[in-house]
Amino acid sequence: MNLPIPMRPHPSAADAPGDRRVGVGTAHAKAILFGEHAVVYGAPAIAVPLHQLEVETAIRPTPRAELRIESELFAGTASTAPELLRPVITAVRAALASVGSAGEHVQLRVRSAIPHGRGLGSSAAVAAAVARAAADLAGVELGPEEFHEIVQRAERVAHGNPSGIDARAVAAAGPIRFHRGRVSTTGVGAPLTFVLADSGAPGSTAEAVARVRERRTADPAGMDRAISQLSDLAEGSLLDLELGDRSALGARMLEAHELLGRLGVSTVKLDALVDAAHAAGAHGAKLTGGGLGGCVLALADSEDEAEHIALALRAAGAPRTWTTTVAAA
Ligand code: PMV
């Protein structure tokens, strides 16, 4: 016997009660391997994707003329949301406008494994996943620049004047070189296993960027020298990446951490975690992202070695660690 095939609700029934459509999007975290802070002054920077740390978003039409958010940080309407949610709200509004959805009759659900305020691109990743969910709901494809602008809108609310590296890195499948707004992919000669360790303290990127600016005003020659050395480390790392030379990359990471300390964005805890990773056999380690808290990134020789390094980092006081492998490409 032939059973009738149930009809799907008509897609033009937007906002109608019982509208069961949903748009979904995902994005991953990122870690800056070289060039954070220096990138703000026009230097190149290298970022790697952290596919193990993902955010998932879902946008559903609702009958109410309001934007509702359900996340681990907050559940309620946009008008009652705390300051922390402003970048997300900006992303939803920008994404809905971009895909041609008028009004705010939607509910956004966010499920994120990316810790907030740890220099891992959480705000950019949420905005990227929101842009993808809005496009999915509307059944349209966003162009890469349109997509980038949505994420940057949210990033401006989160960080003031972001270089754009986070917005590019959370949307890229592999490592990228970012220079003055331009992005290119980099070759990776061998798999690279990184251990990330949370220092347990949040770091404000805006505060860290402001601190570097102040130091540069006080000591322009000294700071420009450090920035130029960070720039050379980033540029030189491209060949190491291509060759899969872990030992050379590790040495550069240690040097970069030292220079970031000179810029004023390391902390006693971050220095201690870098030392602990190195002592446990990491090729190198450094703070990643804005600093003044956040995470340390350590390069292991293998996945087995990574386990050993992660244990050492936790023994040195890191409340959480993650291991991630960037595939050869
Ligand atoms: O968002 P974070 O903490 O990963 O930092 C981004 C990198 C900075 O160079 C410190 C700032 C920027 O806008 O590039």
Side-chain angles (χ1 to χ4, degrees):
M1 186 178 75
N2 275 338
L3 291 171
I5 298 165
M7 296 283 286
R8 294 191 63 176
H10 198 279
S12 70
D15 306 341
D19 189 334
R20 299 180 75 85
R21 291 176 304 138
V22 57
V24 292
T26 62
H28 54 74
K30 66 92 215 340
I32 298 182
L33 185 54
F34 294 108
E36 53 273 89
H37 288 291
V39 71
V40 173
Y41 300 92
I46 315 294
V48 295
L50 303 175
H51 288 290
Q52 281 80 349
L53 292 177
E54 260 208 352
V55 52
E56 268 176 35
T57 60
I59 299 182
R60 292 189 163 77
T62 65
R64 296 208 183 137
E66 64 185 18
L67 163 58
R68 224 192 133 71
I69 299 165
E70 304 284 343
S71 74
E72 278 125 66
L73 296 174
F74 169 78
T77 58
S79 57
T80 61
E83 190 66 16
L84 197 63
L85 269 285
R86 271 187 56 225
V88 183
I89 294 165
T90 303
V92 177
R93 290 186 175 144
L96 290 177
S98 248
V99 300
S101 291
E104 291 203 339
H105 302 49
V106 293
Q107 184 212 63
L108 167 72
R109 202 199 64 208
V110 182
R111 295 272 175 273
S112 181
I114 309 173
H116 184 77
R118 296 298 197 266
L120 302 181
S122 155
S123 57
V126 173
V130 162
R132 285 177 175 148
D136 185 39
L137 180 67
V140 301
E141 232 174 85
L142 288 166
E145 290 317 308
E146 223 178 336
F147 174 83
H148 180 67
E149 186 46 33
I150 295 168
V151 182
Q152 273 297 81
R153 285 259 255 331
E155 284 292 273
R156 279 182 213 115
V157 174
H159 304 306
N161 187 21
S163 63
I165 186 169
D166 280 18
R168 295 292 185 192
V170 299
I176 57 163
R177 172 185 185 268
F178 177 91
H179 192 207
R180 297 182 185 276
R182 293 248 176 100
V183 65
S184 52
T185 55
T186 70
V188 184
L192 300 172
T193 300
F194 292 100
V195 181
L196 276 155
D198 185 357
S199 69
S204 158
T205 302
E207 211 179 299
V209 168
R211 176 175 296 199
V212 175
R213 198 182 311 117
E214 276 161 29
R215 282 215 177 184
R216 191 161 173 262
T217 308
D219 174 18
M223 291 302 105
D224 282 349
R225 207 163 35 245
I227 288 167
S228 146
Q229 283 171 281
L230 284 165
S231 170
D232 291 347
L233 285 172
E235 207 60 337
S237 74
L238 288 169
L239 185 59
D240 300 340
L241 276 169
E242 225 158 86
L243 297 173
D245 188 340
R246 299 185 187 105
S247 132
L249 284 169
R252 284 183 193 279
M253 289 169 79
L254 290 168
E255 229 182 297
H257 182 74
E258 168 80 32
L259 290 163
L260 288 163
R262 238 183 275 168
L263 293 189
V265 296
S266 191
T267 63
V268 171
K269 187 71 184 277
L270 290 167
D271 291 349
L273 291 176
V274 166
D275 290 346
H278 197 208
H283 287 293
K286 63 183 275 291
L287 70 85
T288 183
L292 293 183
C295 287
V296 155
L297 182 70
L299 177 58
D301 196 53
S302 64
E303 293 194 358
D304 283 349
E305 279 292 310
E307 244 174 74
H308 175 65
I309 294 164
L311 278 175
L313 284 163
R314 288 204 290 274
R320 299 180 282 188
T321 59
W322 302 270
T323 295
T324 186
T325 297
V326 174

